[in-house]
Amino acid sequence: MAETGQQEKEYASTDPVGAAHQTNASEPVATEPLQYVVTSDRTSNHASGAAAPLQHVGSDSDLSSSDQDKKQTRPDVTRTLTTTTTTSSMTAESRDAEPQKKKPWYKRLNPLKSSTKPPVPKERRISREYGAPFLSLLTFQWMAPLMSTGYQRPLELNDIWLVNPKRSAPVLSAKLSASFQKRLARGDKYPLLWSLYETFKFEFWLGGLCQLTSSIVQVMAPFTLRYLIAFAEDAYIAQQAHAPSPRISKGIGLVIGISLMQMLQSMGTNHFIYRGQMVGAQSRGVLITVIFEKAMKISGRAKAGGKALEDDTTEKVNIENEKVNKGFLKRMIDKKLNPKGGAQVMADTARGISGDGAGWGNGRIVNLMSTDTYRIDQASGMFHMIWTSPMAILLTLVVLLINLTYSALAGFGLLVIGIPLLTKAIKSLFVRRRAINKITDQRVSLTQEILQAVRFVKYFGWESSFLERIGNIRKREIRAIQILLSIRNAINAASMSLPIFASMLSFITYSLSNHDLNPAYVFSSLALFNSLRMPLNLLPLVIGQVVDAWSSIGRVQDFLIAEEQNDDFIWDMEGKNAVSMHNAAFTWERNVTQDPDKKPGPPSKIGRSKEVKNAEKAAAKAGKPVDASNNGIDSASTLTEAEPFKINGLDFSVGRNELVAVIGGVGSGKSSLLAALAGDMRRTSGSVTMGATRAFCPQYAWIQNATVKENILFGKDYDKHWYEAVVDACALRPDLDMLPYGDLTEIGERGITVSGGQKQRLNIARAIYFNSDIVLMDDPLSAVDAHVGRHIFDNAICGLLKDKCRILATHQLHVLSRCDRIIWMQDGRIETIDTFSNLMNNNEDFQKLMATTAQEEKQENEGQVNEDEVEDEKKAAKKRKQTKRGAALMQQEERAVKSVGWSVYAAYIRASGSLFFGPMVLLILVISQGANIATSLWLSWWTSNKWGYSTGEYIGIYAALGVTQALLMFAFSVTLTVLGTRASRIMLKRAMTRVLRAPMSFFDTTPLGRITNRFAKDVDIMDNNLTDAMRMYFFTLAMITSVFILIIVYFHYFAIALGPLFLMFLFSASYYRASAREIKRHEAVLRSGVFARFSEAVSGTSSIRAYGLQDHFTVRLGREVDQMNSAYYLTFSNQRWLSVRLDAIGNLLVFTTGILVVTSRFNVSPSIAGLVLSYILSIVQMIQFTVRQLAEVENAMVSTERLHYYGTELDEEPPLHLKGVPDSWPEKGEIVFNEVQMRYREGLPLVLQGLNMTVAGGERIGIVGRTGAGKSSIMSTLFRLVELSGGSINIDGINIAQVGLKDLRTRLAIIPQDPTLFRGTIRSNLDPFNEHTDLELWSALRQSDLVGADENLDDKTHGRIHLDGIVEEEGLNFSLGQRQLMALARALVRGSQIIVCDEATSSVDMETDQKIQRTIQTGFKGKTLLCIAHRLKTIINYDRICVMDQGRIAQLDTPFALWQDEEGIFRSMCDRSGIRRQDFEQMKEE
């Protein structure tokens, strides 16, 4: 998001037109303050609505009217969109139900607010712009019905018109793609730029023509002013000399002429901006669509940043040729814009590897879609100013020369020198802004990591340490922001004052070169200098935007011409086999490691370029490519940057109805084999023949943010019979019964609201429902409970799919006996392929492997047990369903409905240090504005020689006043920004502390995206936009007020005209804001839909490709883009609607002033008349700017309000420290649970019901039970994540309720179910606060079997695990097993007396499980261990086992004693897991 919005603000200081399109100074990328709502009628927009993690959505289309009718009968369903979860809930609309309160009489006076509100349309209509008559298009009157509705009641989604068919994204993107492909084939230079031009040229040039007209008129109006002032002067002199005065009709004619010119200029400017913005918005929509289309096709190699080596030489030749062909000027410009080459090579240029080395990871693709398309959109808004501004400036110079002769050159010279200097200074801001963005990214990603793992942070008692880390980053960020803003304020003060100084210089030169200061010439020139302010200030802004857009177009073009995935399989639908491979080899791509800038720890000292050069030299010597991803430095900083994984020599075929299992250890290539078949890996040799369509079930289930049903259908038509069969086969029926709206429940983003097992089962259901003849399944049974796994295996894999080709990668060795053949992978090749019986008889290694897994007992009653189990689950589900309905609702996001309250403004001022700062800032503003008016008044007194001073004295005072006002203006801005940033620092600190201290129930009921959003987007707005918006608002308001006061002092009648015009102005503004706010809100909601759909689909590309659904998703995204644009386009037209009307009011003010000057020509000095006229001309555009800035301030204050809420209103956990506990506590580790009762939140049922248990110090206890029996709840109570509802827990005789939370949590250790790693190094993950020596950490790694006994602490060779090894986000560069072992090492480092183990081995293979169990036995000897177990075999040698059932202890005894109780729950669990007497005896021997 780097500079886009920033430049906007960088220059927008005096930006009346720029303001016009500056509705939101910086574009939200994926984090967007979406506290807004659409409801099931797709109507009511309570800007927030309750957000439930599971949401009912009736129909995919927002438009179907029949759907709407069906829903009339039930209460409205409010749908909230937040960034991370898209959610909603049933909240009965109470709005209509409330009895109508009688309005106070003064509110009933408004004739435009009728008592009956217009009804919400049943369906959305096409935009009225389509087919509107010319006059309506000219004045934007076609917007009127929407504005009127918006004024009567909040706009609903159905009020927002559909996109004008001519502007629909799919239509335009087809046109663009055709043009792009044609130009690409022809070998055109810059094909993307010219295809965009071809697509939008008519509207593009229409805007240019309008801007040219308005630029010319803008110069001619002040020139005509000279004749009006001259007329007033002639009349005044004639009056004094009693001579005949000129006729009044001449004066009135001139006034009418100037007013008409102003109107023409207003129309021209408005249409120029509208056309520009529309071209921008349309380009953005079209580019999002084509980027998405490409993302579905891009090859893995291009994604990883490599490319076929043969491409390299041709590219070099092309670049050389281009250099020769470019003209000198073109080369210079290119060099400036792209120091490293033309538009085709952007910031991430090659670093010694074929391909640009940066690759097109998902993050970069999403960034193209969000940031780059936005930059292109922004730049086209004002593009034509690039050529019309210089023309206007030259024309102004000509007119100034006519007015002031050569003296004008003095002032003009100052501008010519000043503007480039300012532009240079602004450039330096970009460098600073980039540095700040890096710090902000660090803060936001750290915040996000902490929030994602908040449960974990609480378990370890790390809140205060993380707060300190964030605090340190934040201090650096705020310091950098304050410096940046101060420099920017200095630039702004200078640029605002430049025209004043330029006019001063000219008038002083004019006066000193023996000319009389004639008011007609002087004030006409003053108005001209003022009119220069806008093109001069906007030009650098526009150039900045265009440069940015140019590099963005280059990036998008690079992406669009990247290599596409070839489907190089041979498809033989009639062949004998479903799959056959002949000597095939596949490879993954080089993975792009962390960008060195983003690495935690101290930044590297050497300059990047030096490293790269050295790397390239070394590579040249060695004759091999350098790895770009670590700048060619072979150092400890690259952990897993080894050769990409390959699978070789694959030679096998699978029949059309065969079930083949793929087995092998962790990292042997099972998943890779399936990915190769799914088309996800690059084939390097051999051939692959596919005989049918395929469905793919990846290991990490890709779940869409859609309803359960949509996830299963996955673009297929609904077939009720087949669908029901699939749901039953995948054991999803009990889950659907539990979900609040059955299969119409919406799942949060990334499947966030369903459990791992449910995700996996949805994944399987989708693959089966797709009804392909080849089904690839990558370890689908690992995440589900054993009995559910068996149910799926029987009913789905060997049931519904029995006549299809099934390839199943699995760790569950007990299913092998039911497979037709087994493929055993080792180190990326096939070790052996054979039937189960052959392998058992002839392969010794296989026999050993099978001996480690408990073979299934073929019990007759097994089927029986299974069915009972599923029945039990159903009953339990029914029971839970009753309570679940209420509990499913996520917390409604709080939102103030009206504008921000005064208390928030007060809190904001208070946070800046003191309430007195508010009035102080305003005082500085008033004085600076006074100095501004005084400067101009002094000029008018000088021209009429009112005081009779010498020229030197007049000049001296004039110059002094000018400098004073510039300095005061700078003082005002700096004070405002320093106080504002201080306030945002304090408020963020409060909010962050409060959030981390919030109880877990807050995180359970608040989508993560909503919290991150406040700490990213809202803080960004407070840091960067709020003080800017305030400065501009106060400044323009003060300017307008002072000018009106000035006019009224000299022309009293002006007050009479001002009254009604001011009321009209207020009315237009509030009329506009009513609908503008709602349209903006809908746009934000709809945009977030596009962002969510886009990033979600990009992350699921491999699944989408495997199913061959690229087109389905592209069409769906096109629809979403049109939905977004339907509101986005209206934000432009409703701004223009307002501008046209406010300009009309402004022009009436000009007309009134002109008429007053003409009628009071005899008794008001012409120099005063000139001053007033020159001011009123410059103020017309300021009026609409003020309205816009007020809206900006209000919008930005909403962010303050949201942060303030988090800082003051959230619940807090009990204190971190209470009474002191001895350092050595707990010594023995004895835990006593006494009548423990616990519920997760008020109003929910008890999950633990009177738990009594004493755990002796050093005892090892296994805890087992069905899902939902209350196993994990015991952990929550022990760590006080949830406070007890009754009873107590004592550790070594101390009641834990009387111990501070930090003291308690830091004395316990936990090995959690999902191993959480933070970005950083292995050292920072084991010991984030440097409390242990390297040796202690190394011994923990060794104990947990992450490093071998023979490995040495200083051995940092490639691929080895060492303390400085890099950990990427969420630890994704380690396998799940390695992450689990690291969590174990972390617990070992902590060295607590009490260790809690929460299903720590649920996601690892048998071998890793045994490693973990060995470590637990040796490393935690003599310590108290509570272990929630997934695999019973791991705990049958524990001291005692506690069997939980429905929140109570059902059994508690030694494992063998429990096994002997044949009626007990434990015995039935053992039977199902195939645990026999021998196992217990074997354990004893061990």
Side-chain angles (χ1 to χ4, degrees):
M1 246 286 341
E3 302 85 28
T4 350
Q6 213 36 56
Q7 282 152 307
E8 187 69 293
K9 295 166 290 182
E10 231 61 291
Y11 310 88
S13 48
T14 47
D15 166 9
V17 176
H21 85 172
Q22 205 189 344
T23 46
N24 193 344
S26 90
E27 163 73 348
V29 185
T31 40
E32 178 52 37
L34 298 176
Q35 61 303 20
Y36 316 120
V37 151
V38 201
T39 66
S40 78
D41 244 19
R42 300 297 199 245
T43 52
S44 146
N45 172 334
H46 283 237
S48 170
L54 302 159
Q55 155 181 351
H56 173 274
V57 175
S59 115
D60 190 37
S61 144
D62 280 343
L63 315 176
S64 111
S65 56
S66 60
D67 224 41
Q68 310 298 344
D69 300 334
K70 280 180 220 159
K71 290 181 196 160
Q72 296 301 313
T73 51
R74 91 149 195 234
D76 268 0
V77 176
T78 340
R79 175 179 189 183
T80 315
L81 282 137
T82 62
T83 27
T84 309
T85 46
T86 310
T87 50
S88 102
S89 68
M90 295 283 270
T91 51
E93 285 288 357
S94 54
R95 197 170 50 191
D96 307 327
E98 282 177 23
Q100 289 274 310
K101 286 187 191 141
K102 213 171 179 201
K103 286 186 191 167
W105 63 271
Y106 55 87
K107 284 200 174 161
R108 289 195 303 246
L109 293 179
N110 187 342
L112 288 166
K113 279 215 168 176
S114 58
S115 50
T116 54
K117 293 191 166 39
V120 179
K122 282 278 185 288
E123 53 186 44
R124 296 171 63 184
R125 305 186 182 90
I126 284 177
S127 170
R128 289 195 49 204
E129 182 192 27
Y130 186 60
F134 175 74
L135 209 61
S136 171
L137 287 173
L138 189 69
T139 58
F140 296 94
Q141 188 53 32
W142 54 271
M143 280 294 290
L146 190 68
M147 307 291 283
S148 160
T149 308
Y151 188 61
Q152 307 279 358
R153 62 167 172 74
L155 291 172
E156 310 297 3
L157 189 64
N158 274 13
D159 291 315
I160 307 280
W161 300 321
L162 293 173
V163 169
N164 178 341
K166 291 179 189 161
R167 303 186 190 279
S168 152
V171 174
L172 294 170
S173 61
K175 195 170 165 187
L176 180 91
S177 297
S179 169
F180 182 71
Q181 293 308 333
K182 183 179 76 188
R183 287 167 190 283
L184 206 55
R186 267 202 326 235
D188 282 15
K189 220 167 170 194
Y190 314 129
L192 182 60
L193 182 71
W194 290 110
S195 342
L196 279 168
Y197 172 73
E198 195 176 321
T199 313
F200 301 114
K201 58 187 173 207
F202 172 74
E203 197 154 19
F204 178 75
W205 281 117
L206 182 63
L209 193 67
C210 290
Q211 174 58 4
L212 182 63
T213 317
S214 109
S215 295
I216 294 168
V217 174
Q218 195 174 1
V219 180
M220 299 325 289
F223 184 62
T224 320
L225 192 61
R226 165 180 152 180
Y227 296 102
L228 182 58
I229 299 171
F231 163 79
E233 189 181 18
D234 292 348
Y236 189 74
I237 292 167
Q239 167 79 2
Q240 305 291 334
H242 301 294
S245 60
R247 294 175 56 186
I248 193 167
S249 55
K250 179 186 174 189
I252 288 176
L254 283 168
V255 171
I256 291 171
I258 291 174
S259 302
L260 287 173
M261 282 163 117
Q262 286 285 56
M263 284 163 78
L264 183 61
Q265 187 210 333
S266 145
M267 282 300 173
T269 305
N270 280 320
H271 277 275
F272 147 64
I273 293 175
Y274 180 65
R275 301 292 160 193
Q277 286 178 324
M278 288 306 284
V279 168
Q282 289 171 105
S283 320
R284 180 185 182 195
V286 168
L287 286 172
I288 289 177
T289 318
V290 295
I291 289 170
F292 182 78
E293 218 169 307
K294 180 71 178 190
M296 293 289 107
K297 298 179 194 156
I298 189 169
S299 73
R301 175 160 47 192
K303 257 193 149 167
K307 63 176 168 216
L309 284 158
E310 62 271 15
D311 294 359
D312 217 29
T313 44
T314 50
E315 175 135 322
K316 278 183 185 147
V317 174
N318 291 347
I319 290 176
E320 287 308 315
N321 291 347
E322 274 187 18
K323 281 184 184 162
V324 177
N325 298 338
K326 279 181 189 171
F328 170 72
L329 188 70
K330 183 77 184 72
R331 279 209 304 274
M332 285 302 292
I333 292 176
D334 260 8
K335 204 168 177 186
K336 266 275 191 254
L337 302 192
N338 306 298
K340 301 187 180 153
Q344 51 282 47
V345 184
M346 288 310 137
D348 25 55
T349 27
R351 294 212 289 270
I353 184 165
S354 57
D356 66 356
W360 292 106
N362 291 351
R364 269 191 89 195
I365 297 178
V366 171
N367 207 25
L368 276 186
M369 180 277 286
S370 57
T371 311
D372 289 312
T373 58
Y374 176 69
R375 287 181 179 168
I376 294 166
D377 171 7
Q378 286 297 287
S380 44
M382 314 284 281
F383 176 81
H384 291 291
M385 295 198 72
I386 274 203
W387 59 277
T388 56
S389 285
M391 285 173 66
I393 292 168
L394 287 173
L395 194 57
T396 309
L397 177 61
V398 172
V399 176
L400 279 171
L401 284 172
I402 295 171
N403 271 353
L404 299 179
T405 69
Y406 56 83
S407 309
L409 291 172
F412 207 78
L414 179 68
L415 292 177
V416 169
I417 297 163
I419 294 293
L421 287 177
L422 287 178
T423 313
K424 194 95 183 130
I426 285 165
K427 282 252 175 61
S428 75
L429 292 182
F430 291 156
V431 179
R432 286 178 182 277
R433 170 55 63 194
R434 260 185 217 115
I436 291 175
N437 283 344
K438 281 190 183 143
I439 306 177
T440 307
D441 287 348
Q442 273 179 14
R443 173 177 61 79
V444 173
S445 50
L446 179 60
T447 307
Q448 208 156 2
E449 277 194 88
I450 295 170
L451 291 175
Q452 271 167 345
V454 70
R455 181 178 295 271
F456 186 85
V457 171
K458 285 183 182 297
Y459 273 140
F460 276 77
W462 283 347
E463 300 100 303
S464 46
S465 322
F466 272 123
L467 275 173
E468 199 176 316
R469 261 166 76 175
I470 285 187
N472 291 336
I473 298 178
R474 181 69 178 153
K475 268 195 198 109
R476 278 175 27 225
E477 183 186 13
I478 283 289
R479 198 172 301 122
I481 287 177
Q482 284 182 340
I483 295 169
L484 174 96
L485 291 180
S486 301
I487 297 174
R488 201 163 85 199
N489 288 327
I491 293 172
N492 274 328
S495 71
M496 295 277 281
S497 311
L498 257 186
I500 297 171
F501 286 131
S503 54
M504 263 186 195
L505 203 56
S506 291
F507 297 149
I508 291 170
T509 316
Y510 190 65
S511 134
L512 291 178
S513 54
N514 302 323
H515 290 93
D516 276 341
L517 283 184
N518 179 326
Y521 293 143
V522 168
F523 288 106
S524 162
S525 304
L526 188 63
L528 282 165
F529 274 118
N530 277 339
S531 76
L532 271 181
R533 181 177 283 175
M534 211 183 72
L536 282 176
N537 279 333
L538 282 180
L539 195 56
L541 160 72
V542 174
I543 291 174
Q545 284 183 342
V546 169
V547 168
D548 261 7
W550 173 243
S551 68
S552 289
I553 285 185
R555 265 197 298 277
V556 174
Q557 178 179 305
D558 272 357
F559 177 65
L560 294 180
I561 56 185
E563 181 185 44
E564 295 190 358
Q565 186 101 351
N566 290 332
D567 181 11
D568 47 10
F569 291 177
I570 303 160
W571 294 87
D572 174 13
M573 295 302 184
E574 304 304 318
K576 175 166 74 84
N577 291 325
V579 177
S580 54
M581 286 199 177
H582 296 293
N583 201 16
F586 293 88
T587 176
W588 285 112
E589 304 299 344
R590 190 175 54 72
N591 62 332
V592 186
T593 14
Q594 272 170 306
D595 169 355
D597 299 335
K598 287 189 189 146
K599 274 181 195 158
S604 74
K605 302 274 190 301
I606 334 164
R608 285 279 289 281
S609 52
K610 196 167 168 190
E611 300 171 5
V612 175
K613 279 178 197 150
N614 296 346
E616 281 170 356
K617 276 182 201 156
K621 275 186 196 159
K624 63 178 190 205
V626 186
D627 195 336
S629 46
N630 63 330
N631 295 344
I633 302 171
D634 188 81
S635 74
S637 62
T638 49
L639 172 63
T640 47
E641 188 53 79
E643 271 286 282
F645 188 75
K646 297 182 169 61
I647 47 177
N648 303 311
L650 303 177
D651 225 332
F652 66 92
S653 52
V654 183
R656 287 197 174 270
N657 50 8
E658 206 174 351
L659 168 57
V660 175
V662 182
I663 61 168
V666 171
S668 59
K670 303 184 297 297
S671 297
S672 298
L673 176 63
L674 271 88
L677 288 168
D680 222 21
M681 287 177 80
R682 177 158 55 87
R683 185 173 59 83
T684 49
S685 64
S687 69
V688 182
T689 309
M690 299 287 270
T693 56
R694 63 188 168 207
F696 179 42
C697 183
Q699 191 170 7
Y700 285 101
W702 177 66
I703 301 295
Q704 293 170 269
N705 174 199
T707 61
V708 173
K709 188 174 182 176
E710 283 165 355
N711 266 296
I712 296 174
L713 299 184
F714 206 49
K716 281 275 194 192
D717 293 331
Y718 177 56
D719 168 349
K720 190 168 189 315
H721 178 67
W722 177 237
Y723 177 80
E724 297 295 335
V726 169
V727 167
D728 288 328
C730 295
L732 278 168
R733 185 71 60 201
D735 301 273
L736 293 184
D737 290 342
M738 277 166 63
L739 294 175
Y741 309 110
D743 64 359
L744 293 182
T745 302
E746 183 145 348
I747 301 174
E749 217 168 297
R750 301 201 313 272
I752 206 160
T753 47
V754 287
S755 71
Q758 288 170 326
K759 264 190 222 174
Q760 202 55 52
R761 297 205 303 270
L762 279 175
N763 201 3
I764 302 168
R766 170 195 295 167
I768 301 174
Y769 185 83
F770 205 74
N771 213 357
S772 292
D773 291 333
I774 302 173
V775 184
L776 310 169
M777 289 172 280
D778 190 355
D779 203 7
L781 305 178
S782 62
V784 298
D785 288 342
H787 67 276
V788 180
R790 182 164 305 107
H791 176 87
I792 292 174
F793 196 81
D794 294 342
N795 299 307
I797 298 173
C798 298
L800 293 178
L801 295 176
K802 64 178 183 296
D803 299 328
K804 305 200 183 289
C805 159
R806 294 144 292 164
I807 301 177
L808 169 76
T810 185
H811 282 303
Q812 263 77 4
L813 303 184
H814 59 79
V815 304
L816 298 184
S817 55
R818 303 179 56 185
C819 299
D820 298 322
R821 278 189 300 160
I822 293 163
I823 298 180
W824 188 356
M825 299 286 295
Q826 253 177 354
D827 301 330
R829 54 193 169 67
I830 295 180
E831 179 72 18
T832 175
I833 305 184
D834 214 333
T835 62
F836 179 75
S837 51
N838 286 353
L839 286 171
M840 277 308 274
N841 297 335
N842 311 329
N843 190 318
E844 218 172 289
D845 291 340
F846 188 73
Q847 290 160 9
K848 274 188 203 152
L849 183 71
M850 291 311 289
T852 63
T853 178
Q855 253 290 17
E856 262 190 348
E857 289 282 294
K858 292 273 175 259
Q859 296 171 341
E860 278 66 60
N861 63 350
E862 181 209 28
Q864 206 50 47
V865 172
N866 235 345
E867 293 313 308
D868 291 352
E869 188 101 5
V870 175
E871 277 310 306
D872 285 355
E873 286 275 322
K874 282 186 186 166
K875 280 177 199 148
K878 282 251 162 53
K879 235 188 232 169
R880 267 176 296 189
K881 192 171 171 185
Q882 269 70 50
T883 57
K884 188 91 186 221
R885 284 267 160 141
L889 304 187
M890 273 230 161
Q891 283 304 306
Q892 193 164 349
E893 183 165 18
E894 87 306 321
R895 175 183 162 271
V897 183
K898 300 190 181 66
S899 50
V900 180
W902 289 109
S903 59
V904 178
Y905 285 94
Y908 180 65
I909 298 172
R910 215 175 271 118
S912 72
S914 155
L915 270 178
F916 293 117
F917 286 147
M920 181 185 84
V921 172
L922 289 177
L923 184 68
I924 301 175
L925 171 70
V926 170
I927 301 170
S928 95
Q929 200 47 53
N932 185 355
I933 289 287
T935 313
S936 306
L937 263 177
W938 190 258
L939 179 64
S940 99
W941 290 331
W942 176 14
T943 54
S944 60
N945 193 6
K946 183 166 182 177
W947 312 109
Y949 294 144
S950 72
T951 306
E953 286 168 323
Y954 274 125
I955 288 175
I957 293 175
Y958 185 45
L961 282 168
V963 173
T964 312
Q965 66 117 18
L967 289 175
L968 281 167
M969 188 157 64
F970 175 63
F972 164 68
S973 321
V974 168
T975 323
L976 195 62
T977 46
V978 169
L979 295 177
T981 42
R982 192 193 289 175
S984 83
R985 192 190 80 218
I986 301 286
M987 291 179 97
L988 173 66
K989 187 177 171 188
R990 275 187 209 144
M992 194 72 216
T993 313
R994 197 77 178 232
V995 164
L996 277 189
R997 299 275 298 111
M1000 275 315 296
S1001 57
F1002 167 71
F1003 297 98
D1004 294 339
T1005 57
T1006 312
L1008 190 71
R1010 191 188 293 168
I1011 308 174
T1012 326
N1013 192 12
R1014 298 207 182 190
F1015 291 138
K1017 187 70 195 143
D1018 289 338
V1019 171
D1020 178 56
I1021 288 174
M1022 281 180 70
D1023 285 348
N1024 299 309
N1025 305 16
L1026 179 58
T1027 50
D1028 249 16
M1030 281 185 170
R1031 189 196 73 229
M1032 288 165 162
Y1033 172 64
F1034 284 129
F1035 197 78
T1036 48
L1037 189 68
M1039 182 90 183
I1040 291 173
T1041 316
S1042 54
V1043 170
F1044 285 164
I1045 291 171
L1046 179 78
I1047 298 178
I1048 290 172
V1049 167
Y1050 287 102
F1051 300 96
H1052 313 307
Y1053 289 116
F1054 185 73
I1056 299 169
L1058 189 60
L1061 287 175
F1062 182 65
L1063 287 176
M1064 277 165 69
F1065 163 78
L1066 280 181
F1067 164 70
S1068 306
S1070 69
Y1071 194 70
Y1072 153 80
R1073 271 169 47 208
S1075 54
R1077 206 171 31 227
E1078 297 300 325
I1079 293 177
K1080 192 87 192 126
R1081 218 161 259 168
H1082 282 298
E1083 190 264 329
V1085 171
L1086 294 168
R1087 176 178 53 228
S1088 100
V1090 172
F1091 276 62
R1093 285 268 179 266
F1094 188 100
S1095 44
E1096 177 179 86
V1098 166
S1099 64
T1101 317
S1102 54
S1103 296
I1104 294 172
R1105 275 189 196 155
Y1107 284 94
L1109 288 174
Q1110 296 93 318
D1111 292 346
H1112 168 76
F1113 277 87
T1114 308
V1115 168
R1116 203 179 69 164
L1117 186 89
R1119 277 206 306 267
E1120 293 278 347
V1121 169
D1122 272 350
Q1123 287 279 43
M1124 164 180 87
N1125 281 345
S1126 64
Y1128 191 40
Y1129 294 163
L1130 291 179
T1131 57
F1132 303 141
S1133 45
N1134 89 342
Q1135 283 170 27
R1136 292 306 110 216
W1137 180 93
L1138 175 73
S1139 292
V1140 168
R1141 280 141 192 80
L1142 287 186
D1143 281 350
I1145 294 172
N1147 293 336
L1148 280 172
L1149 286 176
V1150 171
F1151 181 71
T1152 313
T1153 314
I1155 293 294
L1156 284 172
V1157 165
V1158 171
T1159 49
S1160 359
R1161 61 193 184 285
F1162 299 130
N1163 38 17
V1164 174
S1165 147
S1167 56
I1168 292 290
L1171 171 69
V1172 164
L1173 283 168
S1174 68
Y1175 259 134
I1176 196 78
L1177 275 188
S1178 67
I1179 225 168
V1180 171
Q1181 289 174 323
M1182 246 185 225
I1183 292 177
Q1184 53 161 303
F1185 187 42
T1186 313
V1187 176
R1188 203 151 288 116
Q1189 280 317 112
L1190 174 60
E1192 240 351 67
V1193 172
E1194 276 196 337
N1195 289 345
M1197 278 309 285
V1198 169
S1199 298
T1200 311
E1201 179 179 40
R1202 288 153 56 86
L1203 212 60
H1204 177 61
Y1205 176 85
Y1206 270 14
T1208 53
E1209 304 290 321
L1210 296 183
D1211 295 336
E1212 283 190 285
E1213 284 186 313
L1216 292 176
H1217 302 283
L1218 279 168
K1219 64 174 193 184
V1221 287
D1223 287 345
S1224 57
W1225 179 83
E1227 285 155 3
K1228 301 204 295 289
E1230 178 195 48
I1231 311 173
V1232 179
F1233 292 88
N1234 179 21
E1235 290 298 330
V1236 170
Q1237 295 183 331
M1238 190 270 272
R1239 55 168 56 92
Y1240 278 104
R1241 287 193 302 285
E1242 271 311 304
L1244 292 185
L1246 286 171
V1247 256
L1248 293 179
Q1249 309 179 12
L1251 194 74
N1252 285 306
M1253 171 165 70
T1254 302
V1255 181
E1259 188 177 16
R1260 293 185 306 159
I1261 290 210
I1263 301 175
V1264 295
R1266 289 213 185 100
T1267 310
K1271 305 187 294 286
S1272 297
S1273 306
I1274 296 181
M1275 307 309 168
S1276 299
T1277 55
L1278 195 56
F1279 283 86
R1280 285 180 64 198
L1281 281 194
V1282 183
E1283 294 297 322
L1284 300 185
S1285 308
S1288 66
I1289 301 175
N1290 288 9
I1291 295 181
D1292 281 3
I1294 296 182
N1295 184 344
I1296 61 169
Q1298 289 156 12
V1299 179
L1301 286 185
K1302 185 165 186 183
D1303 298 328
L1304 170 69
R1305 290 169 183 170
T1306 48
R1307 310 293 172 91
L1308 308 174
I1310 185 166
I1311 307 169
Q1313 187 172 3
D1314 36 359
T1316 305
L1317 295 184
F1318 294 99
R1319 192 184 188 122
T1321 59
I1322 292 183
R1323 176 187 282 107
S1324 74
N1325 269 286
L1326 294 181
D1327 177 25
F1329 309 108
N1330 301 327
E1331 296 157 342
H1332 302 273
T1333 65
D1334 279 8
L1335 272 174
E1336 288 175 276
L1337 302 182
W1338 189 251
S1339 94
L1341 287 178
R1342 186 173 284 165
Q1343 271 179 291
S1344 55
D1345 214 31
L1346 272 164
V1347 294
D1350 53 339
E1351 284 182 40
N1352 150 358
L1353 176 58
D1354 303 316
D1355 177 14
K1356 296 188 173 178
T1357 42
H1358 255 351
R1360 287 281 171 85
I1361 285 182
H1362 52 84
L1363 290 176
D1364 292 317
I1366 293 294
V1367 178
E1368 307 232 334
E1369 217 164 311
E1370 295 179 27
L1372 291 178
N1373 54 339
F1374 293 98
S1375 73
L1376 206 52
Q1378 285 173 315
R1379 299 208 291 268
Q1380 199 76 64
L1381 291 171
M1382 256 183 239
L1384 179 64
R1386 199 186 257 150
L1388 285 164
V1389 168
R1390 183 156 259 206
S1392 303
Q1393 189 56 36
I1394 297 176
I1395 289 103
V1396 174
C1397 196
D1398 185 359
E1399 299 199 3
T1401 58
S1402 59
S1403 48
V1404 292
D1405 56 15
M1406 275 297 190
E1407 196 183 334
T1408 318
D1409 193 354
Q1410 283 165 350
K1411 279 184 194 173
I1412 292 178
Q1413 294 308 328
R1414 257 202 316 278
T1415 308
I1416 287 177
Q1417 279 174 25
T1418 53
F1420 298 138
K1421 229 186 185 70
K1423 306 201 169 178
T1424 309
L1425 179 68
L1426 295 180
C1427 182
I1428 295 181
H1430 196 65
R1431 295 175 172 157
L1432 290 184
K1433 197 157 186 192
T1434 58
I1435 56 161
I1436 54 174
N1437 60 347
Y1438 278 28
D1439 301 329
R1440 284 191 296 166
I1441 285 183
C1442 161
V1443 182
M1444 295 292 296
D1445 189 34
Q1446 297 188 343
R1448 293 191 174 83
I1449 296 179
Q1451 294 173 289
L1452 177 62
D1453 208 335
T1454 61
F1456 191 57
L1458 290 179
W1459 184 79
Q1460 287 173 314
D1461 174 6
E1462 294 190 7
E1463 300 302 308
I1465 300 178
F1466 185 69
R1467 175 64 181 260
S1468 69
M1469 291 169 92
C1470 287
D1471 290 347
R1472 268 203 309 283
S1473 301
I1475 293 174
R1476 295 155 295 191
R1477 181 183 289 272
Q1478 295 93 293
D1479 294 304
F1480 288 97
E1481 286 159 4
Q1482 198 180 339
M1483 285 290 177
K1484 275 185 192 141
E1485 287 161 25
E1486 283 180 14

